[in-house]
Amino acid sequence: MSTIFKDRNWKFFKSLRFRILVILVVIGIVPSVIIENGILNSYEERTVTLRSNTVKTQCDILCNQLINQDYVNNPTSEVINGEFTLLSNVYSGRILIIYEDYKVINDTYDLDKGKTIISEEVVRSFRGESTSNYDKENNYIEMTIPIEDAETQKIYGVMLISISTNEIVASLAILEQKGLYLLTIIVLLVLIFGYILAGILVKPFARVTRSIEDLTDGYLDENISVRDYTETELITDAFNKMLTRVKSLDDSRQEFVSNVSHELKTPLTSMKVLADSLVGQENVPIELYQEFMQDITEEIDRENKIITDLLSLVKLDKKAADMHIEKLNVTDLLDLILKRLRPIAAKQNIDLILESFKPVIAEVDEVKLTLALSNLVENGIKYNKENGWVRISINTDSKYFYVTIADSGRGIPKDSLDRIFERFYRVDKSHSKEIGGSGLGLSITKNAIVMHHGVVKVHSEEGEGTTFSVRIPLHYSV
Ligand code: ADP
């Protein structure tokens, strides 16, 4: 149970739907997070700058009042001290007034009065510069402003102000929380809509799978068609092509099986008729027995030949891995074939002539090539006339060797030329019985030659003769 669950999970993570979902989530969420961070940062920067500017303006005014009322010499001025208290209350801050000798002459917190403060910022302000620093960690802004007489440009002291930014941080936290809510909603929406959208996008692919399954289960008998995307169109087109090929293979297999059954049944039927007629008669003369038994023997021979040829054909239908390639003298091989067939040719007084100009050495499968060439020479003898000839020539160039088998036989009608390499095809079925063909010879020959990556062609003139030309590469390559 748990393995099935794991498998399903794994399948989902490998699915196109999951990948589209991931892309949508990345596209939808990453920019949202970046934008949220950017907004929060610039909000913080902006509010801190605004707060610093406001406080600075107020402090500048206060500094002018300090000069006008000679606060440095009269630090007990109630008006000014009242303003200090007001300012520090409004901004939750602290104001220190530092005199020329870096001594603190007023502190709204009353902590450092009389102490000396020599910080870098204070020193810089004594040189006429205003400074402002935002301490993000401790949540405060610290500013130093020179107390300067605008007319004489004399600097009497420095005002040091620290104001809390807790308020800003608090509003930032609220904003951040709202942003988080918004982001969670965006994530959920992207996940829901992404899941639905990814489902819609991959639907055509699911349809392709369903169509293929329907076809496999036998609900559909035609080609499949899912034209939603170019990709699904390409997949279904490729599938249809494969289907056509499978169908044609199935058709040819069925045709082959029915041909085989028919061919195997014919001699059996003849034998049965012959045997029945003998069984059904009383006092049959011995001569008739002998004649019928002779016929039965011929039928057995025929059956035997068909089965032998079928076995050869089945062997040749196997893969290239079954080729036993060796370097061989093909001229010697032809010589051997002719030696074996000469007695058969002699029965019809047919001349077998071998024309070879030089020994041809090639990489071939001896058994298969012998089968192919024997069939061609045998046919040359079988379909010849008395006192005829079969001329076999062998030649070579740098890439191929060529064998031609020409005969002075009956020839093949033009309309049959295209079909003679088909299994069980015979031009003249009525004569085939006496000649003893199975209709498989040329099919075996062609298969054997094709397995050598060669070609076989035929040229024939009815009544004059036939020539088969074979071309095979000298070097075998897989
Ligand atoms: P079969 O066993 O009948 O000879 P093949 O496949 O070898 O079968 O040949 C198919 C048919 O092609 C033969 O039945 C015959 O009619 C024709 N044929 C083949 N070779 C020749 C040839 N050299 N001359 C004339 N007809 C031929």
Side-chain angles (χ1 to χ4, degrees):
M1 173 80 180
S2 66
T3 11
I4 293 172
F5 181 70
K6 269 182 202 158
D7 276 359
R8 278 200 190 143
N9 260 353
W10 184 235
K11 263 190 189 156
F12 177 71
F13 291 128
K14 274 174 76 182
S15 68
L16 181 62
R17 190 175 195 171
F18 175 70
R19 279 157 209 217
I20 294 176
L21 190 62
V22 171
I23 293 170
L24 288 176
V25 167
V26 171
I27 291 175
I29 294 168
V30 172
S32 309
V33 174
I34 295 172
I35 290 170
E36 194 212 348
N37 270 336
I39 289 175
L40 288 177
N41 280 340
S42 69
Y43 171 80
E44 189 180 7
E45 237 170 70
R46 179 99 189 102
T47 28
V48 167
T49 318
L50 271 175
R51 176 66 53 88
S52 311
N53 287 348
T54 322
V55 174
K56 172 123 185 355
T57 317
Q58 305 231 11
C59 289
D60 280 342
I61 298 167
L62 207 58
C63 281
N64 278 338
Q65 282 181 343
L66 292 182
I67 297 289
N68 291 344
Q69 301 204 8
D70 195 19
Y71 183 79
V72 182
N73 295 318
N74 178 24
T76 51
S77 161
E78 266 183 32
V79 182
I80 304 277
N81 284 342
E83 295 232 24
F84 282 156
T85 318
L86 189 69
L87 199 66
S88 53
N89 282 345
V90 171
Y91 294 109
S92 329
R94 177 183 179 188
I95 300 173
L96 281 88
I97 305 296
I98 303 159
Y99 195 43
E100 272 172 326
D101 52 0
Y102 297 101
K103 275 250 167 68
V104 178
I105 57 163
N106 198 356
D107 176 2
T108 48
Y109 279 16
D110 271 338
L111 291 173
D112 292 335
K113 213 172 185 175
K115 286 186 185 162
T116 309
I117 293 184
I118 315 174
S119 70
E120 192 197 327
E121 286 76 16
V122 173
V123 174
R124 271 164 58 195
S125 284
F126 269 112
R127 287 197 208 115
E129 227 179 282
S130 293
T131 67
S132 174
N133 285 316
Y134 173 42
D135 188 334
K136 212 172 180 170
E137 268 176 34
N138 299 312
N139 297 339
Y140 70 88
I141 306 168
E142 192 181 80
M143 290 191 284
T144 57
I145 301 159
I147 306 167
E148 188 178 7
D149 189 336
E151 280 170 26
T152 59
Q153 303 217 317
K154 182 173 178 267
I155 294 168
Y156 291 97
V158 168
M159 186 185 280
L160 191 144
I161 314 109
S162 308
I163 46 168
S164 162
T165 53
N166 281 343
E167 210 183 300
I168 297 174
V169 171
S171 14
L172 257 180
I174 293 170
L175 264 182
E176 215 166 329
Q177 204 174 28
K178 282 190 176 159
L180 209 67
Y181 286 147
L182 205 70
L183 207 66
T184 317
I185 292 170
I186 291 177
V187 171
L188 285 176
L189 284 179
V190 167
L191 279 176
I192 294 168
F193 284 113
Y195 189 76
I196 296 168
L197 190 72
I200 294 171
L201 286 174
V202 298
K203 218 171 197 159
F205 290 100
R207 271 223 297 286
V208 172
T209 317
R210 211 173 323 118
S211 301
I212 294 175
E213 274 169 4
D214 282 354
L215 208 82
T216 321
D217 294 344
Y219 300 131
L220 265 177
D221 203 19
E222 304 140 9
N223 286 348
I224 58 168
S225 164
V226 179
R227 310 240 156 248
D228 301 51
Y229 304 140
T230 315
E231 286 79 2
T232 55
E233 207 174 318
L234 288 174
I235 292 174
T236 51
D237 283 354
F239 183 81
N240 288 336
K241 263 188 214 156
M242 191 194 75
L243 201 69
T244 315
R245 173 130 180 75
V246 169
K247 275 181 185 159
S248 100
L249 280 177
D250 195 46
D251 286 351
S252 82
R253 186 186 58 84
Q254 275 181 12
E255 196 189 313
F256 181 65
V257 170
S258 91
N259 281 342
V260 168
S261 324
H262 176 77
E263 295 298 325
L264 289 177
K265 263 185 93 175
T266 315
L268 277 179
T269 316
S270 304
M271 282 189 267
K272 172 104 172 101
V273 170
L274 289 165
D276 278 352
S277 60
L278 282 181
V279 172
Q281 286 181 51
E282 273 178 34
N283 303 324
V284 184
I286 185 91
E287 294 79 24
L288 200 68
Y289 255 112
Q290 277 174 340
E291 193 192 325
F292 277 27
M293 285 316 277
Q294 178 66 33
D295 289 348
I296 289 176
T297 313
E298 276 169 22
E299 291 301 335
I300 291 173
D301 284 345
R302 209 169 140 217
E303 183 95 43
N304 207 11
K305 163 114 176 90
I306 295 172
I307 292 171
T308 316
D309 282 358
L310 270 173
L311 286 175
S312 309
L313 201 65
V314 170
K315 273 189 204 149
L316 283 170
D317 268 350
K318 287 187 180 166
K319 305 273 158 338
D322 296 313
M323 293 287 277
H324 301 289
I325 298 293
E326 54 190 323
K327 234 181 188 145
L328 218 77
N329 186 330
V330 185
T331 319
D332 284 354
L333 189 81
L334 267 177
D335 228 8
L336 218 71
I337 292 172
L338 296 193
K339 201 176 272 175
R340 196 166 52 77
L341 292 176
R342 242 175 214 121
I344 303 168
K347 280 188 196 160
Q348 283 179 273
N349 204 21
I350 290 167
D351 217 1
L352 291 189
I353 311 143
L354 174 63
E355 290 173 350
S356 99
F357 304 98
K358 52 185 171 182
V360 173
I361 313 288
E363 292 169 3
V364 290
D365 180 318
E366 184 178 1
V367 177
K368 292 185 178 75
L369 190 66
T370 307
L371 204 59
L373 296 176
S374 300
N375 274 338
L376 292 175
V377 182
E378 254 176 87
N379 278 356
I381 300 167
K382 267 198 308 195
Y383 301 104
N384 219 317
K385 51 191 179 218
E386 289 259 332
N387 305 323
W389 49 261
V390 180
R391 191 169 290 130
I392 300 105
S393 74
I394 177 160
N395 211 340
T396 179
D397 60 18
S398 58
K399 270 182 141 182
Y400 303 96
F401 69 89
Y402 306 85
V403 181
T404 56
I405 296 112
D407 64 60
S408 58
R410 60 176 78 164
I412 303 166
K414 288 259 171 310
D415 53 348
S416 292
L417 273 180
D418 285 343
R419 301 199 58 195
I420 52 167
F421 291 103
E422 286 174 20
R423 290 160 177 179
F424 296 115
Y425 182 79
R426 275 163 298 192
V427 175
D428 187 354
K429 287 211 176 11
S430 55
H431 279 87
S432 64
K433 197 170 168 188
E434 60 201 64
I435 291 173
S438 68
L440 293 170
L442 284 181
S443 183
I444 294 171
T445 299
K446 188 169 179 179
N447 272 14
I449 291 171
V450 167
M451 282 186 93
H452 283 87
H453 306 301
V455 280
V456 54
K457 284 189 179 144
V458 59
H459 175 82
S460 189
E461 289 291 334
E462 235 183 320
E464 284 182 26
T466 306
T467 306
F468 284 94
S469 320
V470 177
R471 189 194 75 187
I472 291 176
L474 290 171
H475 301 287
Y476 179 79
S477 57
V478 185

